[in-house]
Amino acid sequence: MSQGSGRYQRSAAGMVGAMIVTLLVIIVFVAFRAVNRDELIVRPEAVDYLQTVEALQQGDDLDPVYPPTLPEGWIARRAVFSAEHLAWELDILTDDEKYIGLRQAVMPEQDLIEEYVDEEGEPEGSTGLGGTMNLEWEGWKVDGDDTAFTTKIDGATVLVFGSAPAAEVKAFAASLVVD
């Protein structure tokens, strides 16, 4: 009996054939999973931004500007305060998942626009948006479909911006309060 008996012969063609069979099995499995899976819709988790507002109101660092409530279907995604930069940030998703951001910081308007919206943003002119505080807002010309407005409150700059329709961004800005 020879030493080679009982062993199978290896060849490049055999290896290529095995790889093809393996790939076909993977493709069939992926196709089967795609057909039999329900569409997974993941809605981001909301945060309680009013809790952060209450904590800020207890301190002496910054009197936060905030919306007392959000429209139906809107959720706050992030609410943070940076003591280092004296900055309050609130990120919101509208019911059609468009973004609106609120930034309040002790820094110039142009710096906030450059950091959060558009490095080449330019002021467009003042406008009153109404609301409970009846503030004078500066509109900004920015790239894309974004909308941005800034105002000053007690030495801090407030920036409201986002990809939501301009009317929603304006209404959000007009809804802001300081208590």
Side-chain angles (χ1 to χ4, degrees):
M1 182 145 96
S2 71
Q3 282 190 345
S5 66
R7 291 183 152 197
Y8 62 92
Q9 295 294 320
R10 296 181 186 134
S11 70
M15 186 182 303
V16 169
M19 288 175 66
I20 289 172
V21 168
T22 302
L23 284 175
L24 286 174
V25 169
I26 291 171
I27 290 170
V28 167
F29 175 76
V30 169
F32 175 77
R33 292 278 299 156
V35 169
N36 291 313
R37 180 181 359 194
D38 291 334
E39 193 60 36
L40 180 63
I41 298 173
V42 178
R43 183 81 171 138
E45 189 174 319
V47 298
D48 184 3
Y49 72 95
L50 292 174
Q51 197 172 39
T52 305
V53 168
E54 284 179 24
L56 286 172
Q57 289 171 335
Q58 307 285 326
D60 296 330
D61 295 325
L62 189 70
D63 288 328
V65 176
Y66 66 96
T69 61
L70 294 176
E72 180 83 27
W74 290 27
I75 62 170
R77 286 286 300 126
R78 188 175 76 94
V80 296
F81 173 71
S82 167
E84 178 183 344
H85 298 105
L86 286 179
W88 150 240
E89 301 181 3
L90 177 62
D91 293 340
I92 294 172
L93 286 179
T94 65
D95 54 353
D96 57 352
E97 298 192 6
K98 298 291 185 179
Y99 174 80
I100 294 180
L102 166 66
R103 302 293 183 266
Q104 180 180 2
V106 180
M107 62 193 299
E109 295 170 318
Q110 187 70 42
D111 292 350
L112 272 175
I113 290 289
E114 287 177 6
E115 185 171 339
Y116 293 104
V117 186
D118 182 1
E119 290 182 0
E120 298 174 16
E122 296 178 15
E124 283 189 316
S126 296
T127 182
L129 300 178
T132 57
M133 297 194 306
N134 202 23
L135 298 169
E136 192 69 23
W137 291 83
E138 179 79 34
W140 289 81
K141 182 179 181 183
V142 295
D143 280 344
D145 294 335
D146 287 353
T147 303
F149 297 97
T150 58
T151 194
K152 292 277 194 183
I153 297 177
D154 296 330
T157 302
V158 177
L159 166 65
V160 174
F161 64 103
S163 62
E168 287 183 349
V169 176
K170 286 179 182 181
F172 176 79
S175 77
L176 299 177
V177 297
V178 177
D179 286 334

